């Protein structure tokens, strides 16, 4: 546009702002207004004649930091002979501070001077409205982040996403407000979850609903692990389609960890329940084969089931955590003459629940046989149970009888041997019986469990 008098008059008539024509030296060492619109007084507090007579008076009304920015913009535009536009703060007619937008186009003259055709407009209401909106945004973000949520806004057409400080922190970035290309956000989502996040947004974009919710992991950060977050978004559309998407991010890592622990626990309970049923079926089956009457069947079956129940009570009382091997032995041997048993081994050895139940049944069976046929059937008979410190995740428990009647070797596979197949062997254990003439010896190897794991 050309800042001719007619243009200046048109700007005055339409109340567009203060139109002007400015001439500067090539190095901007001198400035001289040659024409100024009558709205000059309204915007600057100076009459057009005052500005024409003394150009520095107008520049002096611009706040110092903004005056420097204006001079830099002028210098760059003069070097490239290109239009510039800048917003500055300056004193108004009443002595207050107002916002002005200055737009100017340079034209070079043969003598090296530059003519600027420009317009100064009042944008104070727009800036104050923007500042009010920004303040409201900050208050909203503060309120949202007080609940632990991160706040984000995606300018779909501009391809930029803005995150609050909390949102940036949730993705492993420094806790500061940040605006980034939407592609960078995608890179901060765990690779395995990116398709799910995209599909959730596309369903909201293309469907009747406007909202979407999706759980996903963040990408692994240097020195850290992935975090589970829940993103909630709302899609805003206009006649041109999707314009804006706003939403929140919530850290759900603890909830996900709880869900995983619950799933593991349910799986463990199902596993133990299945093993327990198998053991009980074996007990009933083998007991029925080894007795001569219903009364004997009842007595032996109840005894074996009681041993199983006692060991299970011990496991239950531990809250699902590992139990001490010594406690399992003492609980199992309580129905017998405890004084005739010698326990020797490290106190710290612990075993998991399934191993504890299977081992208790075995020891009950060994004890019963010792009372009937072995060392405990003689007054001087004794049983020694010794175990080793864990090695490679396992321990060795040895059952050694002494002082009983002579032992005859047996090839018959009794209840104890069969129990191994559904008990210790299922848990990675093994048994090696030896029928020495001085007394039965049994070497058992089975997994140990670290305290606090329950495994």
């Amino acid at each position: 546009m050309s800042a001719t008098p007619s243009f200046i008059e048109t700007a005055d008539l339409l109340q567009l702002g203060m139109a002007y024509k400015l001439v500067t030296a090539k190095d901007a060492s001198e400035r001289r207004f040659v024409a100024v619109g009558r709205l000059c007084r309204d915007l600057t507090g100076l009459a057009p004649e005052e500005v024409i007579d003394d150009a520095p008076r107008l520049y002096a009304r611009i706040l110092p930091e903004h005056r420097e920015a204006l001079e830099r913009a002028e210098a760059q535009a003069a070097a490239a002979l290109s239009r510039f536009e800048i917003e500055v703060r300056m004193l108004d007619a009443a002595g207050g501070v107002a916002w002005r937008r200055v737009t100017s186009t340079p034209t070079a003259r043969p003598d090296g001077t530059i003519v600027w055709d420009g317009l100064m407009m009042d944008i104070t209401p727009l800036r104050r409205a923007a500042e009010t909106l920004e303040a409201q945004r900050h208050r909203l973000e503060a309120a949202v982040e007080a609940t632990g949520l991160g706040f984000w806004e995606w300018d779909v057409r501009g391809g930029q996403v803005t995150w609050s400080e909390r949102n940036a922190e949730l993705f492993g970035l420094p806790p500061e407000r940040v605006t980034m290309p939407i592609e960078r956000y995608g890179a901060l989502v765990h690779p395995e979850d990116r398709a799910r996040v995209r599909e959730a947004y596309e369903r909201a974009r293309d469907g009747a609903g406007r909202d979407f919710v999706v759980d996903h992991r963040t990408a692994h950060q240097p020195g850290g692990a992935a975090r589970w977050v829940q993103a909630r978004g709302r899609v805003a559309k206009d006649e041109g389609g999707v314009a804006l998407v706003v939403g929140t991010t919530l850290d759900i890592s603890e909830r996900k960890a709880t869900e995983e622990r619950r799933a593991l626990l349910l799986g463990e309970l199902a596993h133990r329940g299945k093993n327990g049923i198998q053991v009980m079926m074996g007990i009933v089956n083998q007991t029925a084969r080894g007795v001569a009457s219903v009364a004997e069947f009842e007595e032996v079956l109840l005894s074996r089931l009681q041993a199983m129940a006692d060991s299970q009570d011990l496991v239950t009382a531990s809250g699902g955590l590992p139990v001490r091997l010594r406690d399992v032995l003492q609980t199992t041997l309580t129905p017998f003459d405890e004084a005739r048993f010698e326990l020797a081994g490290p106190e710290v050895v612990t075993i998991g629940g399934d191993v504890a139940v299977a081992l208790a049944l075995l020891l009950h069976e060994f004890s019963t046989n010792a009372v009937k046929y072995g060392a405990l059937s003689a007054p001087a008979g004794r049983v020694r149970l010794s175990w080793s410190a864990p090695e490679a995740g396992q321990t060795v428990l040895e059952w050694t009888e002494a002082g009983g009647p002579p032992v005859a070797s047996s090839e018959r596979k009794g209840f104890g041997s069969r129990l191994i197949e559904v008990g210790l062997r299922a848990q990675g254990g093994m048994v090696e019986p030896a029928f020495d003439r001085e007394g039965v010896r049994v070497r058992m190897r089975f997994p140990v469990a670290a305290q606090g794991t329950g495994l």
Side-chain angles (χ1 to χ4, degrees), residues 126-144:
L126 293 176
R127 289 299 300 243
R128 287 177 179 170
E131 290 169 359
T132 299
L133 288 175
E134 187 65 16
Q136 291 175 344
R137 181 197 299 275
H138 282 299
R139 286 196 293 271
L140 175 61
E141 288 184 4
V144 169

Side-chain angles (χ1 to χ4, degrees), residues 299-319:
E299 179 184 355
V300 175
L301 178 61
L302 289 177
S303 176
R304 290 171 174 171
L305 291 179
Q306 186 61 52
M308 182 177 178
D310 291 342
S311 63
Q312 187 61 58
D313 285 344
L314 184 64
V315 173
T316 302
S318 74

Side-chain angles (χ1 to χ4, degrees), residues 110-122:
D111 63 0
T113 60
I114 298 175
V115 178
W116 299 85
D117 298 324
L119 181 68
M120 177 186 291
M121 302 174 62
D122 179 22

Side-chain angles (χ1 to χ4, degrees), residues 127-320:
R127 289 299 300 243
R128 287 177 179 170
E131 290 169 359
T132 299
L133 288 175
E134 187 65 16
Q136 291 175 344
R137 181 197 299 275
H138 282 299
R139 286 196 293 271
L140 175 61
E141 288 184 4
V144 169
E145 294 191 357
T147 66
L149 294 169
F151 182 80
W152 53 268
E153 181 179 293
W154 175 20
D155 176 3
V156 178
R157 290 169 186 157
Q160 298 287 312
V161 60
T162 300
W163 282 356
S164 67
E165 294 181 6
R166 173 59 176 163
N167 210 84
E169 184 180 12
L170 289 174
F171 281 81
L173 300 180
E176 58 189 17
R177 184 179 175 84
V178 60
T179 298
M180 67 182 77
I182 189 63
E183 292 78 14
R184 188 183 177 199
Y185 159 66
L188 293 172
V189 175
H190 196 284
E192 297 177 7
D193 298 340
R194 289 169 189 166
R196 184 166 68 253
V197 173
R198 184 170 56 253
E199 290 168 1
Y201 161 68
E202 289 175 351
R203 284 195 299 271
R205 179 195 65 188
D206 302 333
R210 296 185 300 162
D211 300 337
F212 64 89
V213 181
V214 60
D215 297 349
H216 69 84
R217 291 162 293 177
T218 63
H220 289 279
Q221 300 299 321
R227 171 183 276 145
W228 273 101
V229 297
Q230 181 179 84
R232 289 181 173 270
R234 170 161 291 187
V235 178
K237 300 180 182 179
D238 57 22
E239 62 277 2
V242 178
L244 186 69
V245 183
V246 296
T248 59
T249 306
L250 174 66
D251 185 351
I252 59 170
S253 300
E254 184 175 348
R255 191 193 80 188
K256 283 292 185 178
T258 300
E259 291 174 354
E260 290 176 2
R261 288 194 296 269
R262 184 183 299 117
L264 286 173
L265 178 59
L266 291 175
E268 179 70 9
L269 289 174
H271 173 69
R272 291 185 180 183
K274 181 178 179 180
N275 282 353
I277 292 173
Q278 290 178 328
V279 171
M280 291 180 65
M281 291 172 63
I283 291 174
V284 173
N285 186 41
Q286 295 304 317
T287 302
R289 294 181 181 182
V291 298
S293 66
V294 173
E296 185 181 0
F297 172 79
E298 179 182 7
E299 179 184 355
V300 175
L301 178 61
L302 289 177
S303 176
R304 290 171 174 171
L305 291 179
Q306 186 61 52
M308 182 177 178
D310 291 342
S311 63
Q312 187 61 58
D313 285 344
L314 184 64
V315 173
T316 302
S318 74

Side-chain angles (χ1 to χ4, degrees), residues 90-114:
M90 63 185 300
L91 300 177
D92 60 15
V97 177
W99 279 97
R100 307 293 188 234
R101 178 180 292 134
V102 179
T103 303
S104 194
T105 302
T107 302
R109 285 178 170 178
D111 63 0
T113 60
I114 298 175

